[in-house]
Amino acid sequence: MNRIILLLLFFSSSLLTGQTALSKSEYNSSLNSLINKKKLLKKELIELKAQLDSLKIEKENLDELIAQAEHEIEMLYVKKFGKKYGPRVYRKQIWKGMTEEMLRAGWGKPDKIDKNVEKWGVFTQWYYGKITFFFRDGKLIDWEEEK
C-alpha cells in the first residue's frame, strides 16, 4: 500500500513538473532513498518523543520546587507578620489598619510618597501607579484608584 502511494505521488509530481518516466533502476533508487528517509524520520520522531517525555518530567519537578519555594516565602511572611497577617501580606491583600511596613513588604517600594506632619498626626500618601494609599500614623486608613 505504501509503495503504491509513493509511486502515485512520484508520478503525479513528475507529470506536474514535466519529467519523463523513470527507469526501473531509477525508480528503485528513489524508492530506497525515500524508505531510508522514512526510517530516519521515524527514528527522529522517537527521539523527539523521548525528549518531550523528559521535559514533561522536568517541568513537573520544577513546578514542585516552585510550590515549595512559594510556601517557604509565605512562611517567612508569617514569621515576620504573624499567622493572621503574614499570608495576607504575601498575597498582596490590603486592609484598613495594615502598617506601612506590611504594604511595602507586599507591594514593594512605592512610586512616590508624600508626607504631612500635623498636630493631630502624621499623614502619608503612597502612590503605586493609579492607586493611592492613605496612612495616618503609619496605619492604612483608606485607598483610592484613579479611573
Side-chain angles (χ1 to χ4, degrees):
M1 180 70 175
N2 285 342
R3 289 183 185 214
I4 294 172
I5 292 172
L6 288 173
L7 188 60
L8 287 173
L9 286 173
F10 180 76
F11 281 125
S12 64
S13 68
S14 65
L15 286 174
L16 292 173
T17 59
Q19 294 178 348
T20 59
L22 292 177
S23 69
K24 187 171 183 174
S25 65
E26 291 173 325
Y27 166 78
N28 286 334
S29 174
S30 294
L31 181 61
N32 287 335
S33 174
L34 290 172
I35 289 170
N36 287 335
K37 285 182 183 179
K38 183 179 176 183
K39 286 178 185 177
L40 289 173
L41 288 173
K42 280 186 176 183
K43 183 180 177 184
E44 187 177 343
L45 180 62
I46 290 168
E47 290 171 359
L48 288 172
K49 284 182 179 180
Q51 287 178 1
L52 182 60
D53 291 341
S54 174
L55 288 173
K56 285 179 182 177
I57 292 169
E58 190 173 337
K59 181 197 175 295
E60 290 171 6
N61 292 338
L62 289 174
D63 288 343
E64 188 176 316
L65 288 172
I66 289 169
Q68 288 173 357
E70 287 174 345
H71 178 72
E72 289 174 17
I73 292 169
E74 185 174 358
M75 290 302 102
L76 290 173
Y77 280 90
V78 169
K79 188 175 181 180
K80 183 168 186 168
F81 298 110
K83 289 181 182 180
K84 182 176 181 181
Y85 298 120
R88 295 176 78 181
V89 173
Y90 172 71
R91 291 185 195 100
K92 301 180 184 341
Q93 294 176 344
I94 54 172
W95 65 94
K96 289 183 180 180
M98 75 184 300
T99 66
E100 291 175 343
E101 181 184 16
M102 290 174 175
L103 186 66
R104 185 182 296 272
W107 284 54
K109 183 180 174 187
D111 301 330
K112 177 182 167 188
I113 297 176
D114 288 333
K115 187 174 186 176
N116 301 318
V117 179
E118 304 292 337
K119 287 187 248 179
W120 49 88
V122 178
F123 294 88
T124 314
Q125 299 83 37
W126 287 25
Y127 301 90
Y128 290 88
K130 293 184 176 187
I131 302 174
T132 304
F133 294 94
F134 302 96
F135 292 91
R136 179 179 182 184
D137 297 325
K139 303 276 185 181
L140 185 66
I141 56 172
D142 207 358
W143 63 89
E144 69 181 17
E145 184 174 359
E146 274 184 39
K147 296 189 181 192

